[in-house]
């Protein structure tokens, strides 16, 4: 995603990009040690690239919608071709407290600041990261990120993180954090 994850070489601090994406950073253990999960894959599909081999993951992409908080808007993913679909796959390594840790590890993307939040919420303009669903909100492990319409959080940068699925005492694990130039 060159429009998104561009950064000054100094951000790497002598490391390669591959070193930023390592298995240790993609594994999260809860604070109490009773839950452990791992991100197995994070796949980005450029919606403008019809030759992207990952399109085969979506035999019915025309059914995908994105969610801005309004169930009635029926916002179609295909209406935003200048975007990326981000699919994440994770696995639970162990869960020793199924009452406290319900579901899979959460995947979050922060620091993508909308240039006009009213357009996003009131008019269904995709100008920040949004959840994608097929039948009902939160039924998939997919996000959509437009190539334009947002700016990076200058103070906190862009972050991709994992979060344990707990309402109390959850833990956040940063996978990647960069400070790209403004979009």
């Amino acid at each position: 995603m060159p429009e998104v994850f561009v950064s000054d070489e100094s951000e790497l601090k002598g490391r390669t990009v591959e070193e930023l994406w390592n298995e240790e950073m993609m594994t999260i253990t809860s604070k109490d040690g009773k839950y452990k999960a791992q991100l197995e894959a994070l796949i980005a599909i450029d919606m403008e690239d019809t030759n992207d081999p990952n399109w085969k993951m979506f035999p019915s992409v025309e059914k995908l919608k994105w969610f801005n908080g309004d169930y009635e808007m029926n916002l179609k993913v295909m209406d935003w071709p200048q975007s990326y679909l981000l699919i994440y796959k994770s696995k639970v390594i162990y869960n020793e407290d199924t009452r406290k840790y319900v579901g899979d590890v959460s995947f979050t993307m922060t620091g993508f600041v909308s240039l006009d939040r009213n357009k996003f919420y009131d008019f269904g303009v995709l100008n920040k990261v949004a959840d994608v669903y097929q039948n009902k909100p939160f039924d998939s492990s997919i996000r959509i990120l437009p190539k334009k319409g947002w700016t990076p959080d200058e103070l906190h940068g862009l972050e991709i993180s994992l979060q344990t699925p707990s309402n109390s005492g959850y833990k956040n694990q940063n996978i990647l954090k960069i400070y790209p130039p403004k979009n």
Side-chain angles (χ1 to χ4, degrees):
M1 299 187 309
E3 298 88 349
V4 179
F5 292 107
V6 292
S7 185
D8 188 289
E9 289 295 317
S10 67
E11 286 291 316
L12 297 176
K13 296 182 174 82
R15 299 173 291 175
T16 65
V17 173
E18 291 78 17
E19 288 174 305
L20 295 174
W21 292 93
N22 66 60
E23 189 173 316
E24 183 180 310
M25 295 298 291
M26 291 188 257
T27 303
I28 187 168
T29 305
S30 63
K31 290 178 183 177
D32 61 9
K34 294 183 178 183
Y35 179 90
K36 186 173 186 176
Q38 182 177 47
L39 179 69
E40 293 184 296
L42 176 59
I43 302 160
I45 298 175
D46 185 342
M47 292 189 47
E48 291 181 297
D49 182 0
T50 57
N51 295 319
D52 189 317
N54 292 313
W55 272 119
K56 66 183 175 214
M57 298 175 75
F58 297 105
S60 56
V61 70
E62 66 277 349
K63 293 181 181 179
L64 295 177
K65 299 170 213 126
W66 61 276
F67 187 60
N68 72 338
D70 186 342
Y71 295 100
E72 303 299 317
M73 284 191 134
N74 197 29
L75 304 165
K76 296 184 184 328
V77 164
M78 292 302 290
D79 291 342
W80 296 93
Q82 289 190 328
S83 301
Y84 289 100
L85 285 178
L86 294 130
I87 303 102
Y88 67 99
K89 295 181 180 185
S90 63
K91 70 176 179 182
V92 175
I93 297 169
Y94 60 80
N95 185 351
E96 297 172 357
D97 189 346
T98 55
R99 289 187 321 213
K100 183 175 183 180
Y101 300 103
V102 180
D104 293 326
V105 66
S106 298
F107 171 78
T108 61
M109 296 176 65
T110 58
F112 300 87
V113 180
S114 170
L115 295 174
D116 188 338
R117 292 175 55 84
N118 288 341
K119 283 185 179 178
F120 181 84
Y121 291 107
D122 298 338
F123 301 104
V125 173
L126 183 64
N127 59 15
K128 68 182 206 116
V129 176
D131 288 307
V132 172
Y133 67 99
Q134 185 166 356
N135 298 310
K136 61 182 181 175
F138 314 112
D139 70 358
S140 77
S141 300
I142 307 168
R143 305 283 190 278
I144 187 170
L145 174 65
K147 292 179 181 179
K148 297 178 181 175
W150 57 271
T151 187
D153 182 322
E154 291 181 18
L155 181 61
H156 300 104
L158 302 178
E159 293 182 3
I160 296 178
S161 304
L162 298 176
Q163 223 173 48
T164 55
S166 172
N167 291 332
S168 63
Y170 75 87
K171 183 178 176 186
N172 194 58
Q173 170 72 39
N174 285 341
I175 297 172
L176 179 66
K177 181 174 184 169
I178 62 167
Y179 294 90
K182 281 190 169 186
N183 191 3

